[in-house]
Amino acid sequence: MSPILPDSIQHDQLKSRVSLFFKQAKIGTFLHQSTIRKEKGLSALILIQFIFSLVLQGKNLYRTLESGRFPDAPEKDAVYDLLKRTTYNWRKLLSLVSAHLIETILKPLTSEDRDRVLILDDSTYDRNRSKSVELLTRVFDHTTGKYIKGFRMLTLGWSDGATFLPLAFSLLSSKKESSRLQGINPVIDKRTVGYRRRQEAIEKGTETMFTLLDTIDPRKLGVKTLLFDSWFAYPSILKRVVTNYSLHVVCMIKRSPKVHYTYEGEKYTLNQLYKMLRKKRGRAKVLASVIVGIGFNENAEEVQARIIFVRDRNRSKEWLSLLTTNLEHSEEDAIRIYGKRWAIECFFKVAKSHLRLAKEFQCRSYDSMTAHTTIVFLRYMILAMSSRESEDDRTIGNLFYLCCDEVEDLRFAEVLLIFMELLGTMLTEDEILADDQVGPFLDKFFNKLPKFLREPLLLSNAT
C-alpha cells in the first residue's frame, strides 16, 4: 500500500505535522470531554496518534503490532482495548473536533454571503468476508446492484464549497431482527454509550438522521441549509427539519405516486405537476418550476417549497426534480447549492480507497468499528485542512487581510454597470445612436438580461 503523503515527507516531518494537527484540533482536550481516557499504561492520546499515523506512512496495523520490528509500537492488547471500550463516546469526539476546526479556522476564511451547508448521505460499510461481526446485516450496494454483508454508514458533514469535514455518523444495521446476521452482544451494559449506539443502529435511517442533527449546533457552524438525496425527501421529514431545526432543505425528489404536493388548492403527484406546467422552449436546462405546499396530514400546517424540473443530461428526453424550502432561492441558486452535495461522495471515495475504512483490521465488536471509523474520519480532516492551507491564500494569516485593505474589490454587479455606461458612451461618440436613443436602447438591453444578472444590477442601483 502506497503512502498517502509524498515520499519527500520523512518520518520526522510526518510526526511533526500530525502533532501540530492534534494540537490545532485540541484532540487531547476533546478526548477528555468524550470520556476517552485510560487509567494506566499509555495514554489514549498516544495510542490514537499511533493508529492515526499508520496509513499516512503506508503501514498496516496488524503487521506493525505483530512483527516486533517497531520498538515505538504499543502492545497489541492496549490498542484493541482502546478500540472496544463501550464507555468511550467517539461520536462526541468527532463532533467536537469538527466544530472546533470549522469555528476557529474555516468560518473566518469564508464570507457570510457564501453558502455553508450540511450534507447528509449514506454509503456502504463493506464487511463482505465477515461472519461473526456484531449486528452484521445485508445491505444493498447501489454501485454494484448487489447485496453485500456490512452496514449502511449514515454520515452528516459540513461544507463551504471548498472544504468538507465530517461531523457525525452511525453504522446502521437492519430494523428487522430476521434480516440481521448477528445480534447485539448480550453482555453489553445497557447504561453505556456503546449500548445506545447499538440501539440507534437498528432504528430507521430517517430517525437516526435526526439523532445526528441533534449532536451539532447549526448556528455555530454558520449553516442554514441541509442537503440530501431523494432517499430522505419525504414531506414529514422536510417539515420536521424546517420546523425543529430552523434549516432550509435542498434535495432531490423522486416520482412517488404516494407523495402529493398542494398546488392551487389541489393535491398532485410529481408526474401530474410536471404535465400541468408550461415548459421552457428549446434546450433549456431548467424546464419549469412551481411553488407548492408540503404537509404530511390533512390537519398539519403546510410548508411552502419550490420544485424545479431540470433536464436530465444523460437522457435528454427525461427530467429530474429538485426541491428547495427557501423561496428566496432562484432556480440557478438551488441547482448550484445542491451541487455542493458532491463533496460527500468524494469524501466516501477517499475514506474507502485511501484511508482504509473498514479494511485496516477485521474487528468484530461494534464499538471497535465505531472507534476505527472515527479515526479514519480524523485522518481525512488532516488531509482536508492541509489541502485548504496549500490552496487558500487567506490561510497566510493577517498579512493577507492587510493586503486586501489596500485594494477594494469590484463586485460583479459594479463591473456590469461600468460596462453598460461605457457601451452608452461609445454609441453616442461614434454617432451610432442619437442621445435620446441611447437610454431606450440600454433599457431594452437590460430587460433582455437573465434574471440572475438583472437582480444584482437593481440592488447596486438601489444602494
Side-chain angles (χ1 to χ4, degrees):
M1 179 179 61
S2 60
I4 294 296
L5 298 181
D7 293 335
S8 58
I9 299 181
Q10 302 299 322
H11 175 72
D12 291 340
Q13 292 175 297
L14 174 60
K15 188 176 180 180
S16 175
R17 183 66 184 89
V18 170
S19 298
L20 177 62
F21 172 74
F22 270 57
K23 290 179 182 178
Q24 184 184 47
K26 297 177 65 175
I27 291 181
T29 301
F30 296 136
L31 280 171
H32 184 77
Q33 293 181 17
S34 306
T35 66
I36 303 175
R37 47 183 178 266
K38 294 189 65 180
E39 297 175 357
K40 60 181 180 178
L42 293 175
S43 69
L45 179 62
I46 292 176
L47 292 174
I48 291 173
Q49 195 164 334
F50 165 75
I51 302 170
F52 179 93
S53 303
L54 286 174
V55 167
L56 302 180
Q57 300 175 67
K59 294 179 181 178
N60 177 277
L61 176 64
Y62 176 79
R63 291 177 183 173
T64 302
L65 295 176
E66 294 289 340
S67 66
R69 293 187 293 123
F70 303 94
D72 295 337
E75 293 292 331
K76 180 177 67 174
D77 291 344
V79 173
Y80 287 110
D81 181 65
L82 171 80
L83 296 174
K84 67 182 183 181
R85 285 287 186 96
T86 59
T87 56
Y88 291 170
N89 196 339
W90 293 97
R91 180 190 294 168
K92 184 176 181 180
L93 171 66
L94 181 66
S95 300
L96 289 172
V97 172
S98 297
H100 174 71
L101 292 174
I102 292 168
E103 293 176 41
T104 59
I105 299 176
L106 296 178
K107 270 183 66 178
L109 296 178
T110 55
S111 166
E112 291 297 327
D113 298 331
R114 190 178 184 90
D115 294 298
R116 307 183 190 97
V117 297
L118 295 175
I119 308 172
L120 184 78
D121 201 2
D122 63 346
S123 183
T124 54
Y125 186 96
D126 188 351
R127 292 299 301 267
N128 214 26
R129 300 176 62 184
S130 302
K131 295 181 180 179
S132 304
V133 173
E134 192 175 4
L135 290 175
L136 187 70
T137 188
R138 291 192 179 274
V139 293
F140 185 74
D141 187 350
H142 292 278
T143 58
T144 62
K146 299 179 181 180
Y147 280 91
I148 64 170
K149 288 188 288 184
F151 302 86
R152 282 176 56 212
M153 185 175 67
L154 184 63
T155 306
L156 178 69
W158 177 96
S159 176
D160 61 356
T163 302
F164 174 87
L165 290 184
L167 293 169
F169 71 93
S170 182
L171 299 177
L172 301 180
S173 182
S174 174
K175 184 174 177 62
K176 296 181 180 179
E177 187 175 356
S178 58
S179 299
R180 299 196 292 267
L181 303 178
Q182 293 291 335
I184 297 177
N185 187 344
V187 302
I188 299 297
D189 190 337
K190 295 184 179 180
R191 297 169 296 178
T192 61
V193 66
Y195 184 79
R196 292 199 298 272
R197 295 289 176 265
R198 289 164 169 81
Q199 291 298 310
E200 291 172 10
I202 58 178
E203 292 180 351
K204 288 185 177 179
T206 50
E207 288 299 320
T208 306
M209 68 173 285
F210 294 109
T211 304
L212 299 184
L213 285 172
D214 288 337
T215 63
I216 56 103
D217 186 345
R219 291 174 298 176
K220 289 185 178 180
L221 301 179
V223 295
K224 298 179 181 178
T225 307
L226 173 65
L227 311 182
F228 48 72
D229 60 15
S230 58
W231 182 259
F232 302 96
Y234 294 98
S236 58
I237 293 177
L238 297 172
K239 184 177 177 66
R240 189 170 168 184
V241 171
V242 174
T243 305
N244 295 359
Y245 298 91
S246 300
L247 289 171
H248 287 295
V249 174
V250 178
C251 63
M252 190 78 74
I253 51 177
K254 54 187 175 183
R255 311 178 196 185
S256 172
K258 298 181 180 180
V259 178
H260 292 78
Y261 306 93
T262 305
Y263 176 61
E264 295 182 344
E266 300 291 334
K267 299 283 187 180
Y268 299 97
T269 65
L270 196 61
N271 280 330
Q272 291 170 340
L273 271 177
Y274 179 75
K275 291 177 182 179
M276 291 176 56
L277 298 176
R278 183 177 180 181
K279 316 303 184 297
K280 294 183 180 180
R281 295 180 179 180
R283 300 288 300 172
K285 295 181 180 179
V286 178
L287 299 173
S289 67
V290 61
I291 295 177
V292 299
I294 301 173
F296 59 94
N297 59 48
E298 296 295 333
N299 300 322
E301 183 180 352
E302 291 186 331
V303 172
Q304 296 296 302
R306 184 191 303 276
I307 296 179
I308 303 164
F309 297 95
V310 183
R311 190 183 303 276
D312 188 341
R313 64 180 181 181
N314 297 320
R315 295 174 294 177
S316 59
K317 294 184 179 181
E318 294 294 326
W319 50 270
L320 304 171
S321 51
L322 290 176
L323 180 145
T324 174
T325 58
N326 189 345
L327 300 184
E328 296 181 0
H329 284 164
S330 65
E331 297 166 352
E332 291 80 8
D333 287 338
I335 296 170
R336 173 181 56 80
I337 292 172
Y338 186 74
K340 295 177 185 287
R341 201 189 71 84
W342 183 248
I344 199 170
E345 301 291 352
C346 298
F347 162 72
F348 288 143
K349 176 65 176 177
V350 172
K352 293 179 180 181
S353 300
H354 300 290
L355 301 180
R356 307 291 291 167
L357 178 67
K359 300 175 183 177
E360 192 167 8
F361 63 98
Q362 299 297 308
C363 52
R364 298 180 180 181
S365 141
Y366 188 83
D367 298 294
S368 298
M369 291 184 293
T370 301
H372 181 250
T373 303
T374 302
I375 295 173
V376 170
F377 284 11
L378 291 175
R379 287 173 182 160
Y380 183 86
M381 288 184 194
I382 190 175
L383 298 179
M385 298 303 294
S386 297
S387 175
R388 184 63 175 263
E389 289 171 5
S390 64
E391 295 175 0
D392 196 334
D393 292 335
R394 288 168 293 184
T395 56
I396 295 172
N398 195 45
L399 175 62
F400 174 84
Y401 296 103
L402 291 174
C403 293
C404 286
D405 289 340
E406 300 296 324
V407 181
E408 182 180 358
D409 291 334
L410 285 176
R411 292 183 175 272
F412 180 65
E414 295 172 353
V415 174
L416 280 178
L417 284 174
I418 294 172
F419 170 76
M420 293 182 66
E421 291 174 0
L422 180 61
L423 177 62
T425 303
M426 291 178 61
L427 291 173
T428 305
E429 291 179 350
D430 296 344
E431 298 182 354
I432 298 175
L433 294 176
D435 291 343
D436 58 345
Q437 294 177 318
V438 172
F441 172 79
L442 292 178
D443 290 339
K444 187 175 181 180
F445 173 76
F446 176 79
N447 292 328
K448 290 288 186 180
L449 290 174
K451 182 180 179 182
F452 75 94
L453 291 178
R454 289 201 309 271
E455 290 181 350
L457 290 172
L458 290 172
L459 291 173
S460 296
N461 283 331
T463 55

